[in-house]
Structure formats: structure tokens, C-alpha cells
Amino acid sequence: MNNTHFKTFCRDISLGLITIITLLFLCNVSGVFDYGEISSKPKQMWHSLAQKDSVNTAQIIFSGNSQSIFLNPLILDSITKKSSRFFGSFGAQIEGISWFFSNSWDYLDPELLVLETHSLDSMYPTIIDSIRYARWENDYPHFNTFTPSFNYIPWSKNKFPSFSSLFDTYKFEFTYLVTGPVIKNHHLFETHPEYFIEALFPPKNNKLKGFRESWCLPISNSLLQDYNNDWIPAPDMPINPKKFQIIESIIKICKAKGIKVLLYESPMYFKHIKPQKKRQKQLDSFCQRLNTPFINLNLNPSLTRTPAYFESTRGINQHLTIAGANAVSKALALAIVEQTSLLKAKPINQNYKKVRD
Amino acid sequence: MGFANLFFWFALSSYFLLYWTVLNRPNQLKLRNISLLIVSYLFYASWDWRFLGIILFSSILDYIVGIKLDTTIDANKRKLLLFLSVFVNLGFLSVFKYHNFFIESAQVALNSIGVNHDLLYLNWVLPVGISFYTFQTMSYTIDVYRKEIRSTKDPFVFFTYIAFFPQLLAGPIERAKDLIPQFEKIHVFEIKAAKKAVLRILWGAFKKIVIANRLAIFVNEGYAHPEQLTGLTTVLVIVFFVIQLYCDFSGYCDMAIGTARLLGFKLSENFTRPLLAKNIKTVYQRWHITIHKWFRDYIYFQLKPPKTKFRKCINVLLVFGLAGLWHGSGLNFLFWGLMNGLLILILDPVIDKAAKVGSKRLALIPLILAHISVYLSLIFFRSQNLDHAKSMFMGLFRWESSILNSNDRANILQLGLGKFELLFGLLFIVIVFSVEYYQEYHEKRINSFYDGNGLNRWFITIALSLSIIFFGFYNGRTGANFNKTNENKQEQFIYEAF
């Protein structure tokens, strides 16, 4: 065998692999592929806070996950006559939301906090998120626009995870650790080019104020047919009591700061899910106990019986289309206005800090 | 584990280093072949170790039959030995692949004469690659029987020939005279060939992961609900399936050929730009070349030479019918095969005549017609059964008032892929066919690419790798508008199912 040729070949292949890995690493570190992050983590919230447009001026803060991110701020603001802002992310759970707010009350001063209840649904945080939240417990949020993604390397104080078990059980998360969000969100060019463009060229004036325009297509004819045939609707989904503990702590902190809280449940098409009786009972009794208003939009037939408002999906989680988001925004804003006590002006808090770089 | 699995490439890289540094030496030939055999069996076992016994049994039987055929002079005994080999190999295939088809056909026949007896169906998993390695091993025994080759005495060489991992699962089906001699010699590392092999693997992966997996979402969604398709979407589903099938299988073959070449082995070409073929016969001379050559050499040429045109038609239909059945056990596959046989008999003479008599433009019309017919025949190939195929054909008659109205555009986007995914898909299809066009008509330019400046090849290699990473459909990626909760099987190679 010609050793020189073989060595040259191996060298060229190694060089090629190093080039590709370096490019992937740079893409990872740039934060661009992170931008539309759909895993349960508060990075999206930090981006919004870091944009500084509505920080300290948002009078109504909406928070949740993909069930509330598509609301229309123009409709919300025009009806409530207040400025609103969304802090949340796709797949956000109440743990992440709680962590976010507990680290950012010094920078926010809303009159009202509106929480959507699907963030209470049980999706256990991954090992990576648990490690990440533990690490960030004592870490102040950073408001730099360049956010390195070294967070994905689990250098936890407490425990170094076993990579073999991580690989076996969380193959996907392990790949994520090694390659960062690039592999997980590699499809960003095609599925959400607007995220890509927004991450590269952040808009100066963010009209959507943290919300996003829905890309969901309305219920198709074939799905409507399926609803009438052998469709098995999603079952009643009661909430894990531990989640209520978390949301209770948020409500208590808000009360102490003079911030009103409202809970609402985003609707789904009435045939897509079974009536959520147990869930509703839980939420009603929880909100009554804490004297917190709760608006269940699943009880609004003008919303739930309009197929054009809902995503054409055979999965449990059904999102709003643009039309649906507009209708829900209107219904929610009117409900907020009806609860007039929610929108009384509150004294200005002199103690909150201004955002700095 | 297969070509679509990252672990395979890690394992191959390690074996590649070991192979060229330690194993591929003059005094290590036997060890090298043993290592290839072990690696091949491990590769097969990673799919399903239970079926290793079948491939081992088949190999042992045909090894012994081969030796006996060489040493036996009696013609009847030789026929018996050949019959034994063919019977056992086809027996395995019949039991695992065709049992339920035969039972269903028998059931229908019995029911039609009033006999209502429930026959036994089997729910056995089809051993992966069985259609390929049984035909490969049969070709060996047939060639030895015909005295075209001598049997191989080295069991490790023979067993590795049957189980050689790059081509074990879905071909190319190699003839013994081409592949066995390569196991009997030490290879020289050729850097140019190795670099070409890497490019070939990447090109195959690009076709499979970026194009075929992507189009699979659209096609699967379309075939799942044929009654919902309009005329335009039906056409798109049909065309996309042809491209998906081509990119999937030719992509696999590129990776197989490239992988073998990295180890110094040359496998046969299995695809030579069939979609640029000038008539239907040429399509099948360029598509899955090794299986069609197998049917030509071992079935068609063995039939009595036809004295009449009618007899020739029967021979052609018989061979295409069998080729159809090879692909799958169902009447729809038989129908597909027969349809293509008919198309060759009816349309090819028209195309050839038009090409001779008229201008090139005149020849285009029957040529386009021929390609359309082949694409339409693939509806039977893809459908689950004849009724399903009928539903797809019905879609061709559901045209809205204007072809590109907003409803039709919305319908297209309901088939699982987002707008940009479709657009990028079209772009990549154009790239693949542009490259094939150059390969067909400007071979010198392609050769100069391989012989010329290394920077171009470097750039293309990086571009292909990044395209696979950023535009590939892997890791369970679903389309932007994908709505199904059912697991999408686009990552499996289509021909592995045969």
C-alpha cells in the first residue's frame, strides 16, 4: 500500500471533518439556530427581554407557550387600551416561566399578568433543563445580544451526568449537547426562515412584541370528516398538583407587588378534545381559593365551533390559526376589560431597575 | 443499523483504518476476508440477528452445491444439484415473502368455487435483503452449472461474496465472476478512487436524505388520503414518487458502491440516469440494472427463442411479470410488471420509428408519452393494492376550474411540506438532474472535475455535507406542515423492504 497516499487521504478527510465541525460550532455559538427554540427553556424570553423595546413599559404581560404566543397584540392593545408584551416560548412549562419571572421582576412592572394554563401540562423537564435551571439559580440574566451557547455543556456544580445513560435514554438530547441547537434546529432555513432573518437582523421596532404570527393551517376537510367518523378525542387532562404550587408562588409574588393575575385556557376545536371537566374543576377551585379570575375559552362556542380558528392536526396539541388567534385575542381582551378591577392603574414602582447592557 | 445511521459511518471509519493499515496485506488475505465476513455478519445481525441463520444456511448449501457441480459429471445429478439450490433459495423467498400472496390467491380461487375454508396466513417478518442475496447466490450456482465459472474452494471468499455488507441489503446484485476474484487478491490503495468514493457516498446521501426523505412526506401523505387529492396534487404526488424512488434507490446504490470502493472493491453500476432514457426499454436497461440483467440472463435468454411475435410478447410479459412480483407479493406489483412489459411492446416501436423517420421533436411526443406511462405504472408499485391504485387514478380526473388557484396551492401545502421545503426540494431536484444531464451529455466536463483542481472537489464536498446537515430530513424531522401522529417511515430505504 502506498502509505503516502493513504496518509494524504486521511489527512484530507480529517481536515474536511474539522472544517464542518468548526462551521457547526460557529453556527451553534452564534445563537441563530437557538432563536426559534422549541424546547422547554427560557432563552426566547431572554431574547425578548433583551430587546428592551417594551421593557418596563408593558402594562399587560402575557405568558405561556405555543397556546398563547400567537395572540395578536394589536387587537389586545386596541381593546384593553394598554400595551401588552409576551414573555414565553414554544414548549414553555410553568417551571421555566416561574424561573424567568423570579429573575426578572426587577426589570418589569406590569399592571396585569395573564397566564395561559397549558403551560401547566405535564411535560417533565429533561435532564439538561434540570441541570440548566439548577446552574442558573444564582446567575443573573444577561442582556447582551450576543449570547454564547455554552449553556448546553452540562458543567453542573452538583452532578456530572453519566453520558452513557444520557445517550441511551436521551439520544436526542445527547446529540444536542455535542452539536448544540444546529442539529436539532437544522431545518430553520426552511421551516422558519423568518426566525433566521430575525436572528441575523433583529428588527428595531418589534411590532409583535414577543408574540408571533401563526403559521398553522385551518382544519382540513379530511380531518373534519375524521371527526365525524372514528376520531378518538384527546382525554380530559387534569393538572399535576405540583404545577399548582408553582403557579401559586407566582401569584403570591405578584400580589405582593400589586400586580393582578389572570389565568385563561386557550380553546381547541370542540370535537378535537373531550370536555375537560376534571381539569376545569381543578382550575376553578384553585382560582377561587386564590381569588384569581379564570377565563376558560373552551366554554365559548363561538370560538370552539369554528374550524377555521384551529390547526389541522391529528396530535393532541391543537394551536390557533391567524383567524383563531385574532378571535381569541378579541374574546380575551374583552373579558379582561369586563373584569374592570384588573385594569385599575397601580402606583409606579420606584424600585425597579432599568435594563442595562 | 444501515447507511442512514451515523454509528455505521463511525464503525466503517474505524474498520477502514484497520483494513488498510493491518488487514489488506499480501500475507493477510485470509484474515482480511474473515474480517470482512465478520463485519458483514455483524452488519446484518444489527438489523435482525435471527435471520443470520438463513443467510448462513443458504451460503453453506450453495458452497457445497458449487463444489459438487464442478466435480460431478453426470448431467442428471448436476441438474438435481442445481434444482436443490434453486428450490431451497426460492423456498425461503416463497415462505417469507410470497406465502400470504399465494394463500390469498388460493383463498380467492376457493371462494369463487364455493369452498369456504380459511387457509393459514403467516405473520412473519421479511428478512432484510433476502430478495437480493438469494438471487445473488442462485446466479453463482447457475453460472457454475453452466460451466461459465469454476466454483470457489475458499469458504470465506464465498461466504463473504454472499454477505458482503455494502451490497447485502439492497444490491447491486453481483455476479460471481465479477466479485469473487476481488476477494482473492490484495487491493492497492488508490487515492483518486478513494476521494471519488467519498464524493459518491456524499452524493448518494444527499439524494436520499435531502430529496428522497423530503418527498416521502409529501408522497406518503398523498397516498394516505387519495380521495382528498385534486388533479394537480395527484400529478405532483405521482411525479414526486418517481423522483423519491429514484433518489432513494440510486442514493443507496451510490453509498453502497462508494463504501465498497473505499475498501478497494468495485461493484457494478445499478443506475445510469434512467430518467433521461430515450425509450422504455432503455429506462429498464438503466434502472436497477443488475436485477434486470439477472432476469434477462437467467429467465428471458433461457426461454425458447420465439419464432413468432406473439411468442416474443409472451416471453417479455412473463419476464416483466416475474420482475414485478420480485419487487413485492401482491397483484399490484404483478400488474405493474405486466404494464411495463406491455408499454415496451407497444410504445417502444413507435418511439423508435418516430426517431428514425421524423425529426427529434417528433420523437419527443411518444417519448414523453412513454415516460408518463412509466410514471403512471408506478402508482401500482406504490399502492397497497389494486383498489388503492384505483383511488389514485381517480384523482387525475378531479381538476378545479383553474389550475393554479389558491385552493390548489393550499391543497399542495396540506400534504405535509411547507412552502420553503417544497421550493428547496424543487431546487435540489433541478441540481440533481443538471448533474445527471452533464454526466449524460458532457462526460468530459465531469471527468475534468475529478481530474482538475482539488479546490473544486473540496468545495463541493463541504457544500454537500452542509446541505445534508441543514436541508436533510433525518432525526425524525417532519415537514413544516406535517400533521400526522403516525410515525413517518421516510428514513428507511424503500428497496430494503424488498
Side-chain angles (χ1 to χ4, degrees):
Chain A
M1 182 184 78
N2 190 324
N3 279 332
T4 316
H5 282 178
F6 183 72
K7 281 180 188 164
T8 307
F9 178 77
C10 292
R11 181 204 68 197
D12 288 347
I13 295 291
S14 307
L15 218 55
L17 283 171
I18 289 168
T19 307
I20 291 165
I21 290 169
T22 306
L23 284 169
L24 292 182
F25 181 75
L26 288 173
C27 288
N28 178 25
V29 154
S30 72
V32 169
F33 286 85
D34 241 343
Y35 194 74
E37 184 62 38
I38 59 170
S39 72
S40 175
K41 87 191 222 2
K43 182 111 191 256
Q44 188 69 21
M45 300 181 212
W46 289 122
H47 260 281
S48 301
L49 202 56
Q51 276 164 19
K52 302 190 287 288
D53 281 342
S54 312
V55 169
N56 303 332
T57 63
Q59 291 162 309
I60 305 179
I61 285 177
F62 290 80
S63 190
N65 51 29
S66 53
Q67 290 293 340
S68 45
I69 201 170
F70 295 136
L71 294 177
N72 188 330
L74 299 173
I75 294 177
L76 292 167
D77 292 0
S78 68
I79 296 175
T80 60
K81 308 278 186 256
K82 302 279 178 182
S83 78
S84 53
R85 178 89 194 171
F86 181 80
F87 288 106
S89 63
F90 292 97
Q93 299 170 60
I94 196 63
E95 287 89 347
I97 291 171
S98 166
W99 177 85
F100 168 77
F101 281 119
S102 66
N103 279 279
S104 52
W105 282 129
D106 287 341
Y107 306 94
L108 300 169
D109 188 34
E111 295 173 19
L112 170 67
L113 173 64
V114 179
L115 290 168
E116 204 280 327
T117 57
H118 282 93
S119 57
L120 298 171
D121 290 336
S122 280
M123 243 169 59
Y124 294 105
T126 61
I127 288 178
I128 294 168
D129 283 341
S130 306
I131 294 166
R132 194 181 289 129
Y133 293 150
R135 197 173 74 81
W136 287 348
E137 195 73 25
N138 302 314
D139 195 3
Y140 278 104
H142 300 284
F143 294 108
N144 296 324
T145 49
F146 171 70
T147 317
S149 299
F150 293 108
N151 302 327
Y152 303 121
I153 301 169
W155 297 115
S156 166
K157 277 187 237 175
N158 302 323
K159 190 178 168 189
F160 208 94
S162 152
F163 280 106
S164 59
S165 66
L166 255 184
F167 187 81
D168 290 335
T169 319
Y170 299 99
K171 244 189 314 204
F172 202 74
E173 279 86 350
F174 184 73
T175 315
Y176 195 89
L177 277 175
V178 173
T179 57
V182 169
I183 296 297
K184 189 175 178 187
N185 298 326
H186 65 277
H187 47 81
L188 213 62
F189 287 117
E190 299 181 89
T191 51
H192 299 296
E194 70 277 6
Y195 284 176
F196 201 78
I197 294 166
E198 210 174 295
L200 286 175
F201 309 106
K204 287 186 183 156
N205 180 18
N206 186 358
K207 288 183 194 162
L208 288 179
K209 299 194 283 182
F211 294 95
R212 294 221 164 264
E213 195 174 85
S214 174
W215 54 78
C216 301
L217 294 177
I219 292 173
S220 63
N221 290 335
S222 76
L223 181 57
L224 275 174
Q225 268 185 16
D226 284 354
Y227 283 144
N228 293 328
N229 293 331
D230 50 4
W231 178 259
I232 301 170
D236 192 354
M237 290 176 285
I239 296 164
N240 185 327
K242 286 186 183 168
K243 307 278 185 171
F244 282 118
Q245 289 172 10
I246 301 171
I247 206 168
E248 188 169 338
S249 68
I250 296 175
I251 292 173
K252 284 182 177 168
I253 292 170
C254 287
K255 272 190 179 161
K257 291 180 179 297
I259 300 169
K260 306 282 183 193
V261 178
L262 176 139
L263 263 62
Y264 87 97
E265 177 126 312
S266 188
M268 293 189 191
Y269 188 65
F270 76 108
K271 286 188 181 177
H272 198 83
I273 54 172
K274 277 187 179 165
Q276 302 287 295
K277 289 179 184 161
K278 283 184 198 161
R279 183 186 177 89
Q280 172 148 10
K281 206 172 166 184
Q282 275 182 311
L283 286 162
D284 281 339
S285 85
F286 172 78
C287 291
Q288 243 175 19
R289 183 169 65 80
L290 291 176
N291 197 23
T292 300
F294 169 54
I295 299 169
N296 188 351
L297 294 175
N298 270 309
L299 301 177
N300 187 331
S302 67
L303 296 173
T304 60
R305 286 178 184 254
T306 310
Y309 289 169
F310 302 102
E311 180 191 11
S312 191
T313 178
R314 287 174 171 83
I316 292 174
N317 205 14
Q318 187 176 48
H319 300 104
L320 298 169
T321 59
I322 292 180
N326 290 346
V328 167
S329 302
K330 187 176 174 187
L332 185 59
L334 286 170
I336 289 171
V337 165
E338 263 177 39
Q339 307 252 357
T340 49
S341 61
L342 292 170
L343 296 179
K344 269 188 187 160
K346 61 184 280 293
I348 294 167
N349 184 349
Q350 303 285 355
N351 296 326
Y352 74 81
K353 294 175 192 166
K354 285 208 171 168
V355 171
R356 282 196 167 73
D357 282 324
Chain B
M1 180 175 64
F3 292 153
N5 190 303
L6 214 52
F7 182 77
F8 168 80
W9 297 104
F10 282 128
L12 178 70
S13 307
S14 313
Y15 182 68
F16 171 81
L17 290 170
L18 189 70
Y19 181 90
W20 286 108
T21 53
V22 176
L23 296 168
N24 188 59
R25 292 188 185 284
N27 54 348
Q28 308 269 47
L29 185 61
K30 195 161 213 146
L31 184 64
R32 184 200 77 177
N33 289 338
I34 291 172
S35 75
L36 277 171
L37 182 63
I38 292 171
V39 161
S40 299
Y41 279 166
L42 281 172
F43 178 74
Y44 193 77
S46 71
W47 284 94
D48 201 326
W49 60 269
R50 298 172 298 171
F51 298 123
L52 216 46
I54 299 174
I55 194 173
L56 200 56
F57 182 84
S58 208
S59 303
I60 293 169
L61 174 78
D62 286 339
Y63 171 73
I64 295 169
V65 164
I67 291 175
K68 290 281 182 198
L69 278 170
D70 260 354
T71 55
T72 306
I73 302 167
D74 183 60
N76 288 333
K77 279 188 183 166
R78 294 184 90 245
K79 266 190 193 157
L80 205 62
L81 284 166
L82 178 65
F83 175 77
L84 177 66
S85 166
V86 171
F87 179 79
V88 169
N89 285 302
L90 285 181
F92 279 135
L93 207 53
S94 303
V95 165
F96 283 102
K97 192 167 173 179
Y98 299 107
H99 174 92
N100 286 345
F101 171 64
F102 293 141
I103 291 295
E104 202 177 311
S105 307
Q107 190 84 68
V108 166
L110 284 173
N111 288 347
S112 68
I113 58 168
V115 177
N116 293 318
H117 178 72
D118 284 335
L119 299 173
L120 178 67
Y121 285 83
L122 295 174
N123 282 324
W124 289 359
V125 172
L126 181 68
V128 69
I130 192 169
S131 301
F132 293 89
Y133 69 73
T134 48
F135 271 49
Q136 184 155 310
T137 192
M138 281 195 294
S139 79
Y140 169 80
T141 47
I142 295 170
D143 285 348
V144 173
Y145 172 80
R146 287 189 200 163
K147 297 185 182 177
E148 285 177 15
I149 57 170
R150 299 299 305 262
S151 66
T152 183
K153 306 291 182 281
D154 188 338
F156 297 114
V157 164
F158 180 74
F159 284 23
T160 314
Y161 157 68
I162 301 299
F164 189 41
F165 72 92
Q167 43 96 235
L168 174 60
L169 300 180
I173 299 174
E174 289 297 329
R175 301 292 175 90
K177 67 175 172 24
D178 296 324
L179 191 53
I180 285 181
Q182 297 186 59
F183 290 110
E184 290 167 343
K185 65 178 189 188
I186 291 294
H187 300 295
V188 175
F189 184 80
E190 295 167 26
I191 189 168
K192 221 169 161 182
K195 286 185 177 180
K196 239 177 167 173
V198 169
L199 261 172
R200 185 137 194 197
I201 289 169
L202 285 172
W203 182 240
F206 176 80
K207 284 195 286 187
K208 163 64 181 165
I209 297 171
V210 175
I211 299 178
N213 284 0
R214 172 189 304 255
L215 296 181
I217 291 177
F218 192 93
V219 169
N220 290 349
E221 197 77 9
Y223 270 88
H225 298 278
E227 66 284 352
Q228 300 296 324
L229 300 177
T230 63
L232 177 63
T233 47
T234 306
V235 167
L236 281 175
V237 167
I238 293 168
V239 171
F240 280 170
F241 176 64
V242 175
I243 299 171
Q244 177 208 342
L245 186 65
Y246 173 65
C247 288
D248 192 288
F249 196 17
S250 68
Y252 166 88
C253 290
D254 285 334
M255 286 194 266
I257 292 167
T259 303
R261 201 69 187 92
L262 279 178
L263 300 175
F265 293 89
K266 285 184 194 162
L267 296 181
S268 308
E269 290 298 331
N270 223 6
F271 286 87
T272 47
R273 302 167 293 284
L275 299 184
L276 298 178
K278 293 204 167 63
N279 57 31
I280 302 176
K281 191 168 88 175
T282 317
V283 168
Y284 289 106
Q285 284 173 343
R286 293 173 173 225
W287 180 295
H288 199 180
I289 297 167
T290 54
I291 193 63
H292 290 114
K293 274 188 173 166
W294 198 100
F295 277 103
R296 182 196 67 186
D297 295 342
Y298 298 113
I299 309 278
Y300 187 73
F301 284 165
Q302 303 316 306
L303 298 169
K304 259 192 179 167
K307 287 183 182 165
T308 60
K309 264 192 179 168
F310 176 75
R311 183 68 219 183
K312 184 184 174 186
C313 293
I314 297 294
N315 286 358
V316 167
L317 288 175
L318 177 69
V319 170
F320 269 88
L322 286 173
L325 275 178
W326 177 89
H327 284 83
S329 59
L331 284 174
N332 52 311
F333 286 102
L334 177 64
F335 208 81
W336 168 72
L338 289 173
M339 191 172 163
N340 278 279
L342 267 171
L343 288 171
I344 285 180
L345 292 167
I346 295 168
L347 281 178
D348 268 5
V350 176
I351 297 169
D352 294 341
K353 186 103 183 181
K356 275 185 200 163
V357 166
S359 66
K360 273 186 184 169
R361 276 189 195 162
L362 190 65
L364 261 180
I365 301 165
L367 176 64
I368 290 170
L369 211 65
H371 273 271
I372 291 172
S373 307
V374 169
Y375 295 4
L376 288 175
S377 75
L378 283 170
I379 293 175
F380 294 100
F381 187 95
R382 176 61 179 76
S383 302
Q384 288 157 10
N385 49 47
L386 291 175
D387 286 332
H388 191 198
K390 186 181 160 193
S391 303
M392 283 301 296
F393 273 106
M394 296 306 291
L396 289 168
F397 299 101
R398 282 192 290 264
W399 287 89
E400 303 294 323
S401 52
S402 80
I403 288 175
L404 282 176
N405 66 20
S406 56
N407 276 340
D408 260 333
R409 281 200 292 274
N411 279 331
I412 292 168
L413 289 176
Q414 288 277 5
L415 290 176
L417 289 179
K419 182 171 68 174
F420 287 101
E421 287 172 327
L422 274 170
L423 289 173
F424 274 106
L426 290 171
L427 172 67
F428 296 133
I429 290 167
V430 166
I431 289 173
V432 164
F433 284 103
S434 301
V435 168
E436 300 223 329
Y437 175 83
Y438 271 93
Q439 286 174 331
E440 180 80 3
Y441 297 110
H442 302 279
E443 203 180 331
K444 281 185 184 163
R445 274 205 192 172
I446 299 291
N447 290 338
S448 69
F449 168 75
Y450 284 113
D451 297 330
N453 190 352
L455 208 59
N456 289 339
R457 288 193 296 281
W458 179 257
F459 174 74
I460 295 293
T461 308
I462 300 294
L464 276 174
S465 306
L466 292 177
S467 299
I468 292 166
I469 291 170
F470 290 120
F471 296 103
F473 276 65
Y474 56 87
N475 254 351
R477 173 182 168 185
T478 56
N481 289 335
F482 186 69
N483 290 325
K484 284 268 194 218
T485 51
N486 295 326
E487 197 187 329
N488 194 306
K489 300 264 186 225
Q490 82 266 25
E491 292 185 15
Q492 187 188 13
F493 285 99
I494 293 175
Y495 268 72
E496 277 171 6
F498 302 142

